[in-house]
Amino acid sequence: MKPTQLKNMSDHRLITIDLKVLHSLMEKAGYTEDEQEEVRARRRKLQNRNSAKTSAARKRKQYESMTDANKRLRQELEAMHSRVATLEDENAMLRFRADVATRRGSQVMQECDILKREVALLSSLLQNAQAEVQEAREATADSTWLYGVDAVPEVDPVSKPPQHIHCAPLVPTSSF
């Protein structure tokens, strides 16, 4: 580049040219110290403008990126709030059902205990009835053997409770 072309140099070329090359060109062109300072000031001014434009573009891009991210995060947050509300409703329903099941389970256990006691009582009554039937049969067998007649009829312990049978004591007779 010729020193005469230094004044016609474009802003872009002035910013991108190596500083040592610029100083060399200015010395060859015979620039005074004040003229060199003006060129350096112009170069700094252009570099600052370029840096400001780059910074503004970077900030604009960063702002747009953050705006997009913020919008996406707000949508995610809204979806999560909706999901939380749904889960809270489901949780309340399940707690209610668990409470009902617990209460029903307690009732079932109480009913089961009552039924077990009734079964135990009925088993005891059945055993007593069977014992009475057996005693009645034995008494009947004794009276049949002694008297030749059925003193006690057959009794079904389930349909009809057994009657207590009182037989008259046998009085021994002497046959001598």
mmCIF file of all heavy atoms in Angstrom, residues 1-14 31 39 42:
data_model
loop_
_atom_site.group_PDB
_atom_site.id
_atom_site.type_symbol
_atom_site.label_atom_id
_atom_site.label_comp_id
_atom_site.label_asym_id
_atom_site.label_seq_id
_atom_site.Cartn_x
_atom_site.Cartn_y
_atom_site.Cartn_z
ATOM 1 N N MET A 1 0.851 -1.161 0.000
ATOM 2 C CA MET A 1 0.000 0.000 0.000
ATOM 3 C C MET A 1 0.906 1.237 0.000
ATOM 4 O O MET A 1 1.871 1.294 0.751
ATOM 5 C CB MET A 1 -0.889 -0.019 1.249
ATOM 6 C CG MET A 1 -1.712 1.214 1.380
ATOM 7 S SD MET A 1 -2.778 1.166 2.832
ATOM 8 C CE MET A 1 -4.212 0.463 2.168
ATOM 9 N N LYS A 2 0.523 2.165 -0.787
ATOM 10 C CA LYS A 2 1.317 3.381 -0.901
ATOM 11 C C LYS A 2 0.911 4.353 0.196
ATOM 12 O O LYS A 2 -0.255 4.404 0.575
ATOM 13 C CB LYS A 2 1.114 4.042 -2.264
ATOM 14 C CG LYS A 2 1.626 3.200 -3.411
ATOM 15 C CD LYS A 2 1.436 3.912 -4.719
ATOM 16 C CE LYS A 2 1.970 3.046 -5.848
ATOM 17 N NZ LYS A 2 1.731 3.620 -7.152
ATOM 18 N N PRO A 3 1.878 5.142 0.674
ATOM 19 C CA PRO A 3 1.560 6.094 1.728
ATOM 20 C C PRO A 3 0.506 7.108 1.310
ATOM 21 O O PRO A 3 -0.243 7.605 2.135
ATOM 22 C CB PRO A 3 2.891 6.792 1.997
ATOM 23 C CG PRO A 3 3.934 5.862 1.522
ATOM 24 C CD PRO A 3 3.308 5.078 0.409
ATOM 25 N N THR A 4 0.380 7.392 0.068
ATOM 26 C CA THR A 4 -0.623 8.351 -0.386
ATOM 27 C C THR A 4 -2.023 7.783 -0.265
ATOM 28 O O THR A 4 -2.995 8.524 -0.181
ATOM 29 C CB THR A 4 -0.371 8.737 -1.864
ATOM 30 O OG1 THR A 4 -0.364 7.566 -2.649
ATOM 31 C CG2 THR A 4 0.898 9.518 -2.025
ATOM 32 N N GLN A 5 -2.137 6.503 -0.250
ATOM 33 C CA GLN A 5 -3.452 5.863 -0.155
ATOM 34 C C GLN A 5 -3.932 5.779 1.296
ATOM 35 O O GLN A 5 -5.034 5.352 1.554
ATOM 36 C CB GLN A 5 -3.392 4.454 -0.744
ATOM 37 C CG GLN A 5 -3.131 4.446 -2.231
ATOM 38 C CD GLN A 5 -2.975 3.044 -2.761
ATOM 39 O OE1 GLN A 5 -2.637 2.125 -2.022
ATOM 40 N NE2 GLN A 5 -3.222 2.887 -4.060
ATOM 41 N N LEU A 6 -3.100 6.197 2.199
ATOM 42 C CA LEU A 6 -3.440 6.115 3.612
ATOM 43 C C LEU A 6 -4.669 6.965 3.933
ATOM 44 O O LEU A 6 -5.528 6.549 4.706
ATOM 45 C CB LEU A 6 -2.246 6.558 4.464
ATOM 46 C CG LEU A 6 -2.342 6.345 5.954
ATOM 47 C CD1 LEU A 6 -2.552 4.864 6.269
ATOM 48 C CD2 LEU A 6 -1.097 6.837 6.649
ATOM 49 N N LYS A 7 -4.795 8.125 3.317
ATOM 50 C CA LYS A 7 -5.938 8.998 3.583
ATOM 51 C C LYS A 7 -7.221 8.421 2.995
ATOM 52 O O LYS A 7 -8.297 8.670 3.496
ATOM 53 C CB LYS A 7 -5.695 10.389 3.016
ATOM 54 C CG LYS A 7 -4.674 11.145 3.811
ATOM 55 C CD LYS A 7 -4.691 12.599 3.447
ATOM 56 C CE LYS A 7 -3.584 13.275 4.220
ATOM 57 N NZ LYS A 7 -3.979 14.402 4.929
ATOM 58 N N ASN A 8 -7.108 7.661 1.935
ATOM 59 C CA ASN A 8 -8.285 7.080 1.276
ATOM 60 C C ASN A 8 -8.622 5.680 1.811
ATOM 61 O O ASN A 8 -9.501 5.020 1.269
ATOM 62 C CB ASN A 8 -8.051 6.997 -0.233
ATOM 63 C CG ASN A 8 -7.883 8.364 -0.848
ATOM 64 O OD1 ASN A 8 -8.428 9.340 -0.345
ATOM 65 N ND2 ASN A 8 -7.111 8.430 -1.928
ATOM 66 N N MET A 9 -7.933 5.238 2.839
ATOM 67 C CA MET A 9 -8.126 3.896 3.385
ATOM 68 C C MET A 9 -9.551 3.787 3.982
ATOM 69 O O MET A 9 -10.000 4.699 4.677
ATOM 70 C CB MET A 9 -7.081 3.616 4.469
ATOM 71 C CG MET A 9 -7.115 2.199 4.973
ATOM 72 S SD MET A 9 -5.898 1.915 6.279
ATOM 73 C CE MET A 9 -4.374 2.056 5.405
ATOM 74 N N SER A 10 -10.229 2.663 3.717
ATOM 75 C CA SER A 10 -11.588 2.451 4.245
ATOM 76 C C SER A 10 -11.529 2.223 5.761
ATOM 77 O O SER A 10 -10.493 1.850 6.307
ATOM 78 C CB SER A 10 -12.238 1.252 3.561
ATOM 79 O OG SER A 10 -11.634 0.062 3.984
ATOM 80 N N ASP A 11 -12.672 2.458 6.385
ATOM 81 C CA ASP A 11 -12.755 2.261 7.841
ATOM 82 C C ASP A 11 -12.442 0.813 8.201
ATOM 83 O O ASP A 11 -11.719 0.542 9.159
ATOM 84 C CB ASP A 11 -14.148 2.637 8.345
ATOM 85 C CG ASP A 11 -14.403 4.125 8.269
ATOM 86 O OD1 ASP A 11 -13.425 4.872 8.096
ATOM 87 O OD2 ASP A 11 -15.583 4.527 8.387
ATOM 88 N N HIS A 12 -12.964 -0.090 7.425
ATOM 89 C CA HIS A 12 -12.743 -1.513 7.704
ATOM 90 C C HIS A 12 -11.256 -1.859 7.597
ATOM 91 O O HIS A 12 -10.705 -2.570 8.440
ATOM 92 C CB HIS A 12 -13.568 -2.372 6.735
ATOM 93 C CG HIS A 12 -13.352 -3.835 6.909
ATOM 94 N ND1 HIS A 12 -13.780 -4.522 8.022
ATOM 95 C CD2 HIS A 12 -12.726 -4.756 6.116
ATOM 96 C CE1 HIS A 12 -13.442 -5.781 7.913
ATOM 97 N NE2 HIS A 12 -12.791 -5.958 6.759
ATOM 98 N N ARG A 13 -10.610 -1.333 6.555
ATOM 99 C CA ARG A 13 -9.169 -1.613 6.360
ATOM 100 C C ARG A 13 -8.364 -0.989 7.490
ATOM 101 O O ARG A 13 -7.415 -1.584 7.970
ATOM 102 C CB ARG A 13 -8.725 -1.060 4.998
ATOM 103 C CG ARG A 13 -7.283 -1.253 4.713
ATOM 104 C CD ARG A 13 -7.015 -2.707 4.352
ATOM 105 N NE ARG A 13 -5.602 -2.843 4.012
ATOM 106 C CZ ARG A 13 -4.817 -3.788 4.457
ATOM 107 N NH1 ARG A 13 -5.307 -4.727 5.250
ATOM 108 N NH2 ARG A 13 -3.568 -3.858 4.113
ATOM 109 N N LEU A 14 -8.758 0.218 7.947
ATOM 110 C CA LEU A 14 -8.046 0.899 9.020
ATOM 111 C C LEU A 14 -8.134 0.104 10.325
ATOM 112 O O LEU A 14 -7.171 0.044 11.081
ATOM 113 C CB LEU A 14 -8.601 2.315 9.215
ATOM 114 C CG LEU A 14 -7.890 3.195 10.241
ATOM 115 C CD1 LEU A 14 -6.422 3.385 9.858
ATOM 116 C CD2 LEU A 14 -8.574 4.538 10.372
ATOM 117 N N TYR A 31 3.792 11.710 7.942
ATOM 118 C CA TYR A 31 2.785 12.267 8.836
ATOM 119 C C TYR A 31 3.474 12.865 10.054
ATOM 120 O O TYR A 31 4.424 12.291 10.571
ATOM 121 C CB TYR A 31 1.800 11.197 9.305
ATOM 122 C CG TYR A 31 0.679 10.912 8.317
ATOM 123 C CD1 TYR A 31 0.889 10.909 6.954
ATOM 124 C CD2 TYR A 31 -0.596 10.642 8.774
ATOM 125 C CE1 TYR A 31 -0.137 10.640 6.073
ATOM 126 C CE2 TYR A 31 -1.630 10.361 7.912
ATOM 127 C CZ TYR A 31 -1.394 10.366 6.561
ATOM 128 O OH TYR A 31 -2.423 10.093 5.704
ATOM 129 N N VAL A 39 -4.938 9.819 13.223
ATOM 130 C CA VAL A 39 -5.198 8.515 12.591
ATOM 131 C C VAL A 39 -5.427 7.463 13.682
ATOM 132 O O VAL A 39 -6.350 6.634 13.592
ATOM 133 C CB VAL A 39 -4.049 8.116 11.637
ATOM 134 C CG1 VAL A 39 -4.216 6.672 11.166
ATOM 135 C CG2 VAL A 39 -3.993 9.060 10.450
ATOM 136 N N ARG A 42 -8.769 8.078 15.228
ATOM 137 C CA ARG A 42 -9.808 7.603 14.310
ATOM 138 C C ARG A 42 -9.905 6.084 14.351
ATOM 139 O O ARG A 42 -10.992 5.516 14.381
ATOM 140 C CB ARG A 42 -9.489 8.078 12.888
ATOM 141 C CG ARG A 42 -10.528 7.671 11.881
ATOM 142 C CD ARG A 42 -10.248 8.259 10.515
ATOM 143 N NE ARG A 42 -11.036 7.550 9.525
ATOM 144 C CZ ARG A 42 -10.607 7.212 8.337
ATOM 145 N NH1 ARG A 42 -9.380 7.525 7.954
ATOM 146 N NH2 ARG A 42 -11.382 6.561 7.505
#
